[in-house]
Amino acid sequence: MRIIKLFALLILLPFISCKNDTTIITELQNIHSTIKTKYAPDKRVEVFDINFELAENQLILEGETTSKKAFSILLDSLNNKKLKFTNNVRILPDSAVGNLKFAIARNSVINIRSKPKHSAELGTQGLLGMPLKVLDKKGDFYRVQTPDDYISWVDKGGITRMNKKNYDQWNSRKKIIFTKNFGYVYVDKNENASIISDITLGGVLKYKSLDSEFYEVEYPDKRIGFIKKEEAINYESWIQNLNPSKESIVSTAKKMNGFPYLWGGTSSKGIDCSGFTKTAYFMNGFIIPRDASQQINAGEIVDKELNFEGLEKGDLIFFGSKATAEKKQRVTHVGIWLGNNKMEFIHASGNVHISSMDNKQPNYDEFNKNRYLGGKRYLGVKDKMIIDLKKKIKL
């Protein structure tokens, strides 16, 4: 149906010279919108922002996109209709980042913001050692894409940029992953030594050597440090020995109990509702979508009747505004079902804590019960939105 609508719009294009500028631009915007809906519907993971201008009977295309396919379809459409235009659209990444199109997070936590400025809203966070694609540059900020495909801006101090060769070398080397909530990397094999940086749950560094008490590690910017042996594990061993289960998801989630709430946070320094569920699954070997409104689109539907039956430990449960005749459903919150006889779930709201859907329990959460939207099961479900790290090329 969308393709039919697109062709219908394109049929109108030969006649645009007879119309005023406003009508012409409106028709082109409609074509752009149709293509965007099909090929780049979520601006958080794909950029397709094209503007149209008319100057002296010349059509000018401005903007930027990460979707070569969507833009190629747009250009083919215009060319097929023999429209003359000037193409000033940027295909990201482009010359703004040169050949350094990749990066690795070099701080314990990097703040990735909605716009290229420190005062902008926090969109998400990355952890030490996280691999990133670099798409664009503005001032001291780089637009990056995380492993869960989230696109936003990070300041230059948080990353080490690399070309493809160095990036592949980094990814192919042996790593360690930090498994405690908080810790430090030291300049020497001594916990009383000077600190190079802090490190948080899920942080990854290059493995150099190991003795009875410390891992020797390397940062992406070549700094060398030491981590207590009991606080980390060889990344490959960690992945191979993971046995994700309902119980392990719940156990990981409970270890984050009390973490402070931070809008956009995905780390033990501060975490939001979907950052919390994302981290719980990551520490069990899965990369899942970033936001609650994305997470609800993955996995297998459970509890269609919204009566809390059929839910199991580790399932995600969602909250927000239910659909009406006038409005679509809006997902604004997510938690993890604990699967006990108290109808409890754990979620990040104010801080990470446990609430109940049973009005007889002291931690009864009437507010969220009244806006419950259903559950999704991720474990044992094949879904392109749920990346199993055991089957993925190692970090």
Side-chain angles (χ1 to χ4, degrees), residues 12 65-66 105 204 230 252 305 321 364 378 381:
L12 297 173
T65 183
T66 56
V204 172
E230 68 268 20
T252 302
E305 302 302 319
S321 303
Y364 175 53
Y378 281 10
V381 177

Short mmCIF file of all heavy atoms in Angstrom, two decimals, residues 12 65-66 105 204 230 252 305 321 364 378 381:
data_model
loop_
_atom_site.label_atom_id
_atom_site.label_comp_id
_atom_site.label_asym_id
_atom_site.label_seq_id
_atom_site.Cartn_x
_atom_site.Cartn_y
_atom_site.Cartn_z
N LEU A 12 2.41 12.87 -9.87
CA LEU A 12 2.10 14.30 -9.85
C LEU A 12 3.30 15.17 -10.18
O LEU A 12 3.15 16.34 -10.56
CB LEU A 12 1.57 14.69 -8.46
CG LEU A 12 0.26 14.04 -8.02
CD1 LEU A 12 0.00 14.41 -6.56
CD2 LEU A 12 -0.90 14.51 -8.89
N THR A 65 21.60 11.75 5.87
CA THR A 65 21.00 10.44 6.05
C THR A 65 22.06 9.38 6.31
O THR A 65 23.21 9.53 5.88
CB THR A 65 20.17 10.03 4.81
OG1 THR A 65 19.55 8.77 5.06
CG2 THR A 65 21.04 9.94 3.57
N THR A 66 21.66 8.34 7.03
CA THR A 66 22.52 7.16 7.20
C THR A 66 22.00 6.01 6.34
O THR A 66 22.61 4.94 6.30
CB THR A 66 22.54 6.71 8.67
OG1 THR A 66 21.19 6.49 9.12
CG2 THR A 66 23.20 7.76 9.55
N ALA A 105 34.86 3.58 23.50
CA ALA A 105 34.67 4.40 24.69
C ALA A 105 35.90 4.26 25.61
O ALA A 105 36.33 3.15 25.90
CB ALA A 105 33.41 3.97 25.43
N VAL A 204 34.75 -3.00 29.58
CA VAL A 204 35.61 -3.95 28.88
C VAL A 204 36.95 -3.29 28.54
O VAL A 204 36.98 -2.14 28.08
CB VAL A 204 34.94 -4.44 27.57
CG1 VAL A 204 35.90 -5.26 26.73
CG2 VAL A 204 33.69 -5.25 27.90
N GLU A 230 39.64 -10.72 41.14
CA GLU A 230 38.32 -11.17 41.54
C GLU A 230 37.19 -10.27 41.05
O GLU A 230 36.01 -10.59 41.20
CB GLU A 230 38.23 -11.31 43.07
CG GLU A 230 38.29 -10.00 43.84
CD GLU A 230 39.71 -9.62 44.27
OE1 GLU A 230 40.67 -10.15 43.66
OE2 GLU A 230 39.84 -8.82 45.21
N THR A 252 20.66 -10.96 38.34
CA THR A 252 21.42 -9.79 37.88
C THR A 252 20.67 -8.51 38.19
O THR A 252 21.26 -7.53 38.66
CB THR A 252 21.69 -9.89 36.37
OG1 THR A 252 22.40 -11.08 36.08
CG2 THR A 252 22.49 -8.69 35.88
N GLU A 305 -4.10 -10.93 28.02
CA GLU A 305 -5.32 -10.52 28.72
C GLU A 305 -5.06 -9.50 29.82
O GLU A 305 -5.99 -9.04 30.48
CB GLU A 305 -6.01 -11.76 29.32
CG GLU A 305 -6.37 -12.83 28.30
CD GLU A 305 -7.27 -12.31 27.21
OE1 GLU A 305 -8.20 -11.54 27.54
OE2 GLU A 305 -7.05 -12.65 26.03
N SER A 321 0.38 4.58 28.35
CA SER A 321 -0.99 4.95 28.01
C SER A 321 -1.55 3.95 27.01
O SER A 321 -0.93 3.68 25.97
CB SER A 321 -1.02 6.35 27.39
OG SER A 321 -0.45 7.30 28.26
N TYR A 364 2.82 -2.40 47.17
CA TYR A 364 1.84 -2.34 46.08
C TYR A 364 1.99 -1.05 45.28
O TYR A 364 2.09 0.04 45.83
CB TYR A 364 0.43 -2.43 46.65
CG TYR A 364 -0.68 -2.26 45.64
CD1 TYR A 364 -0.74 -3.03 44.47
CD2 TYR A 364 -1.69 -1.31 45.85
CE1 TYR A 364 -1.77 -2.87 43.55
CE2 TYR A 364 -2.73 -1.15 44.93
CZ TYR A 364 -2.76 -1.93 43.79
OH TYR A 364 -3.77 -1.76 42.86
N TYR A 378 11.90 -12.56 26.19
CA TYR A 378 13.09 -12.51 25.33
C TYR A 378 13.85 -13.84 25.31
O TYR A 378 14.38 -14.25 24.29
CB TYR A 378 14.04 -11.43 25.81
CG TYR A 378 13.66 -10.01 25.41
CD1 TYR A 378 12.42 -9.70 24.85
CD2 TYR A 378 14.56 -8.97 25.60
CE1 TYR A 378 12.10 -8.41 24.49
CE2 TYR A 378 14.24 -7.67 25.24
CZ TYR A 378 13.00 -7.39 24.68
OH TYR A 378 12.68 -6.11 24.33
N VAL A 381 13.79 -16.79 22.50
CA VAL A 381 13.06 -16.26 21.35
C VAL A 381 14.04 -15.77 20.30
O VAL A 381 14.96 -15.01 20.61
CB VAL A 381 12.13 -15.11 21.78
CG1 VAL A 381 11.44 -14.50 20.56
CG2 VAL A 381 11.10 -15.59 22.80
#
